[in-house]
Amino acid sequence: MSERHFRVWRGDSEGGEFVDYTIDVEPGMVVLDCIHRIQAQHAEDLACRWNCKAGKCGSCSMEINGKPKLSCMTRMNTFGPDETITIQPMKTFPVVRDLVSDVSFNYRQNARIRPLKPRPRGKDGEHRMYQEDVDRVQEFRKCIECFLCQDVCHVLRDQDAMERFTGPRFMIRLASLEMHPLDTDDRVPEIRDEFGSGLCNITRCCTEVCPEHIGITDNAIIPLKERVVDRYYDPLMWLMRKITGRK
Amino acid sequence: MRDINELQTIEHDVLVVGAGGAGLRAAIEASRLGLSTGVIMKSLLGKAHTVMAEGGMAAALGNVDDRDNWKVHFRDTMRGGKFLNVWRMAEIHAKDAPERVRELEDWGAVFDRTRDGLINQRNFGGHRFPRLAHVGDRTGLELIRTLQDAGVHNGIDFHMECIGVDLALDGGRVAGMLAYWRDTGRFVLFKAPAVIFATGGAGKAWRVTSNSWEYTGDGFGMAYRAGAELMDMEFNQFHPTGMVWPPSVRGTLVTEGVRGEGGILKNSEGVRFMFDNIPERFAAETADSVEEAARWLEGDRDARRPPELLTRDVVARAIRKEVKEGRGSPHGGAFLDIATQQPADFIKRKLPSMYHQFKELAEVDITAEPMEVGPTLHYYMGGIRVDAITQMTNVPGLFAAGECGTGLHGANRLGGNSLSDLIVFGARAGQGAKQYLDSLSGTPQPQGDHVNDLIDEVVGFLNREEGENPYVVVDDLQVAMEEHVGIVREGRELEEGIEKLAGLVERAKRVKAHPSSQYNPGWNTCIDLRNLLVSAEATARSALSRQESRGAHTRLDFEGEREDQLKYNNVVVQASDGSMDLRQEARPEPPEELARIAHASIEDLEANRV
């Protein structure tokens, strides 16, 4: 057991400040355990979101020593023995209270994406898909919606382009539909026009913070950008469109 | 007195409480049937406990072993539930599950595939054949995301971080619900003539549990106070494999899929102790040697299943016994070893989130070392009593589906039957609500006095000058439940436990929260405590009433199943003076055809002779 120091941001949409707390920490604890201990011993009303405590639900996202992380998967022994741990809410989203931020932007983005439009089932009543064809879609569907990628994305965070870019989480959702073996919808035009695939400048920050280790940039965003390029900027494809009259 | 017309009011035909698999499936059904549908949830959309379900959802698709069909699934469910299940529900579940699973594919779910391109199915405890449709070990996430994405395009209103206080009634019929928003603490009155509870269980009454903070028995408490019946509350499933180290994650689930994919259990002496714990009922269908178990794992269809895949109640008790008799692992569990049974890349592919979870939380590489595991409170088989067909309770307009309902699982739930339960009975609850509303005369209205009393009660926690810290009361409750209503029970201990609970009920009335209602977890805990205590007391009283050991309910003073005890259900209701009443109610005779199937030999079933 050792004594550890924390600086936790307390406040609401009107403003706030860092407050210092000191608690005893035992081996094996993660940052979320420490927040619970601070709640129990010093600040019963300290607001934070959490659920599964096993990295599966993506509720307890916050910025720990400046890095977007799941607090339930951040072990205390990853810090230096005397290091003070600074905890604040995700910066890209408006704060509600303490460590809780308003992530409704993300739910609005999700609602904009049209659902799967599956081809009809086969004569035997089954959809046939092969494992090698669904592997890449399954990678995207590992997403736990922690929104850490949205938090770290420069386009959303620094360039204030929330109106024009949907963010990495929803690029992978679009990719999971666009690459879905059953989907019959044409999603390329809206990926460019509505969801702003062109705004991503491939810094790969989103990929780095993904707790599910999804290849967001390389496996989803870049292939989507390529599909857009093939459709709109490839002269042969351009000619085909002229001839067939397809968008 | 405040005027309830000044409260924020939201009207729906159907209000669903809870946004896990059952709630979302119920909402989709109700909305597709043309009803205005709202869903309230304690957390954000997509975070409910369904995401923690790992192994899969059971449905007799017969994609991997074509000998499977609904009758075998039904028989497995009844045997796993030690025949205390509601027969009709077990039948409906086994029959409906395949189509409920298939339709998920139309909504975007991407299950693991067989070589033929069909939905792959894996082995699980108590299931005769590979039956669990799955996505690695994150099937629950796939289910919730699929339903969430389908739901947002079905015109459903999702009210996030909104917590129910109590139902509003009008002449005994459901009229709506009082709730509050977590972020502001403001109250909202939902007017809805049909309310579907999909609130999960009450695992938070115990210290070591796989459940998160949300699982405080809200549906149990609210239904009970509205006059509904709680049935078979003594059946609490302790999942045999929870993490035991480090202390901060004690209880976190380790999927049964580890054993389904070949994992074995060993004690500190290296003995595979499950071979010494095979109950009579399952002896004929369980391997009796390491050699036979190994052949089964290699796919020999004539070999019987390894004893590690016995039902959860059996495995949990066996682990407890090893620990108690001094053969436990260093941190008080058993060793679960898949590293010596399967190659590393297979483990990482089939059990990626387990690999991840142990690596990051316990610094254990499960492809090279065994895991330490022990029992953790996981699931309520008992719950709100419902009609098998419509899912309606005895309170007109109140429905329940998923873990908070009861009947399908009897005395013990098979792994994989939960996710299928959610989609089968979630959909049926939506249909039941439609049927009820079609025949409803007039629109029941919330009563002002009652709503005002409810507001006064919960605002009291904020306004009082002095009071106890609610977290301390929750802690004491968890200790009492571990001590008195644990995995193995005894009459006198249960009686002492019930006395302790009475003391906690009094203390809970006097708890106090920091006086700010905005996103205040302390205040939320004060409100949840009321429900947690109803759940705990109903559980303890029912456990005392059942004088036998059946499924997940084990009594030291009454060993073994007793025929006379199979003839009744424990039913708990609130008496008119507010105290808790328990009665033993006779079970109806099973439908003849179903009894024949449940008791048939497996050979006769496979040969279609039943």
Side-chain angles (χ1 to χ4, degrees):
Chain A
M1 194 147 77
S2 62
E3 203 170 73
R4 299 297 303 252
H5 304 290
F6 292 83
R7 297 181 69 223
V8 182
W9 194 87
R10 303 290 314 265
D12 54 28
S13 55
E14 310 279 294
E17 58 181 358
F18 284 97
V19 178
D20 292 300
Y21 299 101
T22 301
I23 54 163
D24 287 326
V25 170
E26 284 130 46
M29 279 172 75
V30 295
V31 169
L32 182 60
D33 295 322
C34 299
I35 292 170
H36 286 157
R37 189 159 286 184
I38 291 169
Q39 272 180 342
Q41 296 178 355
H42 303 292
E44 175 224 293
D45 63 331
L46 169 62
C48 100
R49 285 197 182 103
W50 67 283
N51 279 73
C52 78
K53 232 176 151 293
K56 294 192 173 68
C57 76
S59 299
C60 63
S61 304
M62 49 191 75
E63 297 187 7
I64 302 169
N65 285 356
K67 296 205 175 87
K69 286 188 169 191
L70 292 179
S71 58
C72 75
M73 297 300 276
T74 306
R75 286 170 64 96
M76 286 299 292
N77 66 3
T78 56
F79 304 104
D82 299 317
E83 201 174 342
T84 294
I85 312 235
T86 304
I87 308 174
Q88 60 196 103
M90 288 191 283
K91 190 186 153 201
T92 298
F93 308 109
V95 68
V96 174
R97 202 174 114 113
D98 302 339
L99 301 174
V100 174
S101 40
D102 173 3
V103 293
S104 56
F105 166 78
N106 300 295
Y107 289 95
R108 287 195 299 277
Q109 295 305 311
N110 195 43
R112 291 172 60 203
I113 298 175
R114 288 199 312 277
L116 182 81
K117 193 171 156 193
R119 67 181 187 222
R121 294 192 201 181
K123 284 198 184 98
D124 57 359
E126 303 283 356
H127 281 306
R128 275 179 206 268
M129 294 185 269
Y130 295 91
Q131 189 61 46
E132 52 272 31
D133 298 327
V134 300
D135 277 341
R136 57 183 180 173
V137 175
Q138 285 187 331
E139 181 194 358
F140 305 142
R141 293 185 66 88
K142 287 193 322 196
C143 172
I144 58 173
E145 296 202 325
C146 62
F147 307 130
L148 292 174
C149 59
Q150 303 284 89
D151 183 45
V152 82
C153 171
H154 300 291
V155 184
L156 301 179
R157 191 182 178 109
D158 304 323
Q159 299 168 21
D160 230 11
M162 282 179 148
E163 298 305 312
R164 289 177 291 143
F165 184 53
T166 195
R169 188 296 174 248
F170 299 99
M171 293 310 284
I172 65 165
R173 169 136 160 71
L174 285 162
S176 77
L177 288 162
E178 171 65 18
M179 300 178 194
H180 197 300
L182 300 183
D183 192 44
T184 58
D185 220 346
D186 177 15
R187 299 171 190 274
V188 173
E190 66 194 25
I191 285 169
R192 183 186 76 159
D193 301 332
E194 310 286 324
F195 295 102
S197 61
L199 274 102
C200 167
N201 48 13
I202 321 186
T203 55
R204 292 194 172 80
C205 304
C206 52
T207 305
E208 269 171 41
V209 299
C210 178
E212 286 292 315
H213 309 295
I214 300 170
I216 303 174
T217 317
D218 290 354
N219 297 346
I221 299 182
I222 290 175
L224 288 184
K225 281 171 172 281
E226 284 168 355
R227 287 178 191 217
V228 167
V229 168
D230 286 349
R231 175 75 62 90
Y232 293 101
Y233 307 104
D234 180 323
L236 258 179
M237 296 293 282
W238 177 84
L239 196 64
M240 283 291 285
R241 267 199 320 279
K242 281 284 174 204
I243 295 165
T244 60
R246 275 191 65 194
K247 207 166 38 149
Chain B
M1 192 158 117
R2 63 184 86 72
D3 179 359
I4 67 160
N5 293 318
E6 285 170 15
L7 284 176
Q8 181 191 4
T9 302
I10 299 176
E11 292 189 33
H12 290 295
D13 297 327
V14 179
L15 179 70
V16 179
V17 183
L24 291 176
R25 188 62 190 80
I28 289 171
E29 195 71 12
S31 186
R32 279 151 63 104
L33 293 169
L35 302 173
S36 137
T37 306
V39 184
I40 65 169
M41 63 205 86
K42 290 172 93 168
S43 290
L44 297 173
L45 182 58
K47 309 301 183 193
H49 226 302
T50 302
V51 302
M52 286 295 282
E54 292 156 351
M57 55 190 101
L61 297 161
N63 289 351
V64 173
D65 194 318
D66 57 15
R67 292 173 293 181
D68 202 9
N69 58 54
W70 79 263
K71 290 177 182 172
V72 187
H73 189 185
F74 166 77
R75 176 182 180 269
D76 289 344
T77 301
M78 292 301 300
R79 285 161 57 91
K82 316 300 183 251
F83 297 94
L84 200 70
N85 325 50
V86 172
W87 294 76
R88 277 287 174 229
M89 285 180 80
E91 177 199 14
I92 289 169
H93 169 253
K95 283 180 172 169
D96 282 8
E99 190 45 37
R100 291 286 84 77
V101 170
R102 282 196 197 96
E103 83 192 345
L104 295 173
E105 285 200 305
D106 288 317
W107 300 343
V110 184
F111 293 103
D112 287 357
R113 317 306 296 179
T114 65
R115 258 188 226 127
D116 300 329
L118 299 173
I119 295 171
N120 198 2
Q121 298 181 274
R122 70 155 45 115
N123 281 297
F124 235 57
H127 291 282
R128 171 78 182 165
F129 298 117
R131 188 177 284 145
L132 271 64
H134 62 276
V135 187
D137 55 0
R138 54 163 192 86
T139 314
L141 174 67
E142 188 71 15
L143 176 63
I144 207 157
R145 201 66 80 229
T146 300
L147 295 176
Q148 174 184 342
D149 291 340
V152 296
H153 296 288
N154 258 293
I156 299 165
D157 288 327
F158 292 105
H159 308 292
M160 297 191 216
E161 301 193 312
C162 182
I163 303 186
V165 175
D166 254 322
L167 285 165
L169 301 174
D170 182 0
R173 298 187 300 176
V174 164
M177 165 172 269
L178 179 72
Y180 67 97
W181 304 105
R182 279 180 84 197
D183 61 349
T184 59
R186 296 178 73 90
F187 292 99
V188 50
L189 182 62
F190 287 95
K191 291 188 177 177
V195 172
I196 300 172
F197 278 175
T199 52
K204 270 293 159 193
W206 284 265
R207 170 148 291 175
V208 180
T209 174
S210 63
N211 290 191
S212 85
W213 69 272
E214 294 192 298
Y215 296 84
T216 51
D218 295 2
F220 300 154
M222 292 189 285
Y224 169 82
R225 288 189 294 273
E229 300 165 326
L230 304 180
M231 188 170 88
D232 294 341
M233 292 288 279
E234 69 273 33
F235 294 105
N236 318 110
Q237 180 167 79
F238 289 82
H239 194 292
T241 60
M243 293 178 80
V244 296
W245 194 89
S248 66
V249 293
R250 195 177 182 108
T252 297
L253 192 64
V254 179
T255 176
E256 190 166 322
V258 176
R259 284 170 286 141
E261 299 295 350
I264 60 172
L265 286 164
K266 287 193 284 196
N267 64 20
S268 61
E269 294 164 5
V271 174
R272 248 177 107 169
F273 55 88
M274 283 313 300
F275 283 105
D276 305 321
N277 287 281
I278 304 171
E280 190 57 43
R281 177 178 284 148
F282 295 98
E285 295 169 25
T286 307
D288 58 10
S289 70
V290 172
E291 174 273 326
E292 185 179 1
R295 276 195 289 120
W296 177 88
L297 189 58
E298 282 159 15
D300 180 346
R301 279 165 67 125
D302 294 327
R304 294 171 298 178
R305 311 161 56 75
E308 278 85 1
L309 288 176
L310 284 161
T311 53
R312 289 177 175 176
D313 51 332
V314 175
V315 181
R317 273 195 301 274
I319 293 176
R320 182 183 176 274
K321 190 175 92 187
E322 292 304 306
V323 175
K324 205 143 190 158
E325 293 176 4
R327 296 183 297 274
S329 66
H331 299 101
F335 292 108
L336 173 60
D337 170 26
I338 191 162
T340 63
Q341 304 296 306
Q342 297 284 9
D345 59 337
F346 176 91
I347 297 168
K348 284 187 199 166
R349 183 160 45 85
K350 287 305 229 179
L351 303 162
S353 67
M354 281 304 105
Y355 174 73
H356 193 59
Q357 182 175 315
F358 273 89
K359 192 98 186 160
E360 306 216 354
L361 293 174
E363 293 176 343
V364 166
D365 177 358
I366 69 167
T367 67
E369 312 159 70
M371 297 159 250
E372 274 188 74
V373 294
T376 179
L377 192 284
H378 185 50
Y379 188 87
Y380 260 81
M381 271 73 71
I384 305 165
R385 188 186 203 178
V386 291
D387 176 76
I389 315 286
T390 64
Q391 302 294 294
M392 192 158 91
T393 66
N394 59 317
V395 177
L398 178 63
F399 299 77
E403 185 179 355
C404 75
T406 191
L408 170 60
H409 308 294
N412 174 63
R413 175 172 73 76
L414 296 184
N417 270 0
S418 177
L419 291 188
S420 46
D421 174 7
L422 306 182
I423 49 179
V424 166
F425 291 106
R428 287 200 170 245
Q431 293 158 12
K434 166 76 174 158
Q435 204 183 319
Y436 171 76
L437 293 174
D438 282 348
S439 63
L440 183 69
S441 58
T443 308
Q445 292 298 325
Q447 304 297 299
D449 290 354
H450 179 225
V451 173
N452 268 311
D453 289 348
L454 290 174
I455 293 175
D456 288 342
E457 183 189 347
V458 296
V459 168
F461 299 128
L462 293 169
N463 289 347
R464 64 191 47 156
E465 297 280 311
E466 278 176 33
E468 199 174 356
N469 178 342
Y471 292 114
V472 176
V473 182
V474 173
D475 270 352
D476 290 352
L477 168 64
Q478 291 174 338
V479 171
M481 290 299 278
E482 293 285 346
E483 256 177 47
H484 297 277
V485 200
I487 187 166
V488 170
R489 296 147 182 194
E490 194 267 323
R492 217 186 45 224
E493 280 184 11
L494 286 165
E495 283 168 3
E496 286 171 17
I498 291 168
E499 260 174 57
K500 281 193 189 171
L501 289 175
L504 289 164
V505 168
E506 288 310 309
R507 282 168 62 191
K509 288 178 188 159
R510 296 191 300 268
V511 288
K512 171 181 168 41
H514 184 277
S516 149
S517 61
Q518 192 197 25
Y519 222 107
N520 181 345
W523 186 47
N524 304 158
T525 302
C526 294
I527 297 171
D528 290 348
L529 238 179
R530 305 170 312 145
N531 301 319
L532 208 46
L533 284 163
V534 168
S535 314
E537 187 182 346
T539 302
R541 287 189 187 280
S542 302
L544 182 64
S545 162
R546 183 162 290 280
Q547 299 188 336
E548 65 166 343
S549 296
R550 182 180 297 275
H553 173 68
T554 305
R555 285 282 296 262
L556 278 179
D557 43 352
F558 294 99
E559 278 184 24
E561 295 175 12
R562 281 173 42 191
E563 203 50 39
D564 63 314
Q565 300 277 304
L566 183 57
K567 297 197 170 105
Y568 73 86
N569 296 109
N570 281 316
V571 176
V572 166
V573 289
Q574 188 173 38
S576 51
D577 66 355
S579 65
M580 190 174 277
D581 252 1
L582 182 143
R583 64 171 190 270
Q584 296 183 344
E585 196 175 299
R587 297 175 68 206
E589 286 296 311
E592 201 185 317
E593 187 211 356
L594 295 181
R596 209 166 50 238
I597 297 168
H599 294 292
S601 77
I602 192 71
E603 291 77 16
D604 284 346
L605 263 190
E606 278 171 27
N608 220 357
R609 287 193 292 262
V610 184

